[in-house]
Every structure is written in C-alpha cells, then in structure tokens.
Amino acid sequence: MKKNTLKKLTALALAAVMALSLFACGKKTDDDKTDGKTYKIGICNYVDDASLNQIVANIRSQLEAIGQEKGVTFDISYDNCNADAAVMNQIIANFIADKVDLMIGVATPVAVAMQSATADNNIPVVFAAVSDPVGAGLVESMDAPGANITGTSDYLDTDAILDLIFAADPDAKTIGLLYDQGQDSSTTPIKNAKAYLDKKNVAYKEYTGTTTDEIMLAAGKIAADKVDAVFTPTDNTVMTAELSIYETLAKSGIPHYTGADSFALNGAFLGYGVDYVNLGKETANMVADLLLNGAAPATTAVKTFDNGTATINTEVCQQLGLNYDELTKLFAPLCTKVQPIVTAESFDDVK
C-alpha cells in the first residue's frame, strides 16, 4: 500500500473516532432531557373584557417566549365561560379529563371553581387578577398560600382613587358607588370606600346590578340623582357594561372613577390600577417557575403590584369640561403615572 493512501485512511479513521466521541459527549441522558418536553395548560377566562383579555394575551406571549428560550412547549387550551357558572365548571372538568399539568384561572370566580375542582387531584392552579385572595378563601396568606394554588393579585388601593376624586372636586357632596354585589372583587373595595367617605363625612349612594341591562338602569338613576362622581372597583360586570353606560354619565357631567385602565378605554373618565400587561407576564413567569423549576404553589407567595397608574379618557375629560393638562399636574403627586387614552373597544384598537 502506498504511503499517501495509508495516510488518507488513517486520517479518515481518526475523524470517525472523533465524531463518535463528540456525539457521545454531547448526547443527553433521559434524566437530562428538557428540550422538546410539552406541558399542557388550561386557561379559563371569566368574561370577555379588555383587562382580562389583555392578561390572557400576555400570559400566552410570555409563555411562548419562555418556551422558546427553554426549549419546551406550552400546549395551551383556552376557553371563556362568559360568567356562566355551568359553562365554567364544564371547562374545568374538560381540563381535568385532558390531564393538564396546570390550570390558570383568570378572575376570582374561576379561581374559586378551580380550587374546588382540584381539591382531590392536586393539579396546580395559578390565578390571575384576584383582588382579595385571602378574603375569597383561596389562600391562607399572601406569603404562604398553603395548598395547590397561588397567583397574581390586582389588589386595589381604594383610598387612592377616592383621593383623586376630591383632588379634582374638593367640594363633592355625594359619591355614587356602582358595582355588582355578587362580584367578590367589589366586596372589600366598596367596604373600604364607605369607611373612607364616612370618615370624611361625605354622603354616598349605592347602585347595583348583575347584568349589563341592570347596570344601564343603574347608570340612568345615577344621572337622575346628579351625584358628584361615581366610583367602581375592578368589577367585571360593570366593566362589561362600560361601553353601554359611559355616554349616559358623561352627558350628565358625572365623572366615573374606576379600578382599571380598561374602564377608561371603554369610556369611563378615569381608570386607576395595576399594569395588566405586566400582571399577565408575571403570571406566566409564575407558571414557568412551577412547571420548570419545581416550585410549590403552597410556598410561592402571591404576587402584588404597584397600582398607582391613573389613565384618563381625554375625550370624556373634554366632554365633562375638564382640562387634561391641569388634571395631570393635579394628580401627579397622588400617582406613579398619569396617562391618556381614547375610547375604544379593545387595547388593540388604540395601538
């Protein structure tokens, strides 16, 4: 055999050995594999409104980003029960039958239903936008939930919103409280609002409803009573009805102060509360921590947020005869941020 031929064969043999060696070193054992793993997640939204839809959209986008980064897939099943308890329970039952790895409940009623449905199977539950997790009986404490459930809270600083009302109108004599008595998210804020107004010796009138039609009737009564301002917390029933009532209040010269920027998007004068984009992302981060890092819901603290952003609907502001620039200066010391918005059905419509 010629020397050149021998050298070529030797070189080819060495290359093959090196390739096999590199493959063996780079190959992961079954225990090490994470790439390609799929996690099944069921998301149930309580109702179709701008805030809750924004949360869901950002949960989805953040989980997709995490999945790409970590080399895993989050297989998401999504449904909206539209405030129908029977539909909600069926959606949750479907998630259980599909053997999801984790459920996400958007808003208090869904979280409560998921907690009940997973009492025996211990499927992890992460809630989003629950205003009072302890009061709703979901967790033992904010720092140590104690069971198979944890999540993110959009706790509302009621006093801060009412401070804005009296900053804009120090002489306000009567405040309307518009809410759904059946909404857990309204219970504590309305109680706090009454205590605040009692301490200030300011009168208040309560207006309630459980459907859009009832909220519309309530808005008509508010206009007839000519209250000085209206307060609504993060109430999903009123949120759903906002597009149907904002003109009634605005034409009557009554500013509507509310607990989320989505209300202002749909025509309320002002929305004050958390950044729901960030809340959605942080909910997704919590989900990833539980599924990828083995964190336990029982010891994962409920996440809360700074809710100091005031969003003013500039169109309604003008209709009420108020000056946006003046209000911005007036509200600035009482908020972390003041920002404008115009009336639209969804946040996508104003981008």
Side-chain angles (χ1 to χ4, degrees), residues 3-56:
K3 283 187 178 181
N4 288 342
T5 303
L6 181 62
K7 285 182 179 179
K8 287 180 181 179
L9 289 173
T10 302
L12 287 171
L14 287 171
V17 170
M18 289 179 67
L20 286 171
S21 176
L22 288 171
F23 174 77
C25 292
K27 186 179 179 182
K28 295 181 180 179
T29 66
D30 288 341
D31 292 337
D32 292 333
K33 281 184 180 178
T34 55
D35 291 354
K37 185 167 183 178
T38 297
Y39 297 91
K40 297 177 71 174
I41 297 173
I43 303 177
C44 181
N45 193 358
Y46 179 61
V47 73
D48 185 21
D49 76 36
S51 285
L52 301 189
N53 292 346
Q54 192 176 40
I55 291 169
V56 172

Side-chain angles (χ1 to χ4, degrees), residues 127 133-135 137-147 149-150 297-302:
F127 55 75
V134 176
L138 289 169
V139 299
E140 293 177 8
S141 74
M142 299 291 275
D143 292 330
I149 187 167
T150 187
T299 55
T300 300
V302 175

Side-chain angles (χ1 to χ4, degrees), residues 158 177 186-198 204 231:
T158 304
L177 305 177
S186 291
T187 303
T188 298
I190 291 297
K191 179 182 176 182
N192 292 342
K194 291 177 181 178
Y196 176 105
L197 295 170
D198 284 339
Y204 55 83
F231 165 66

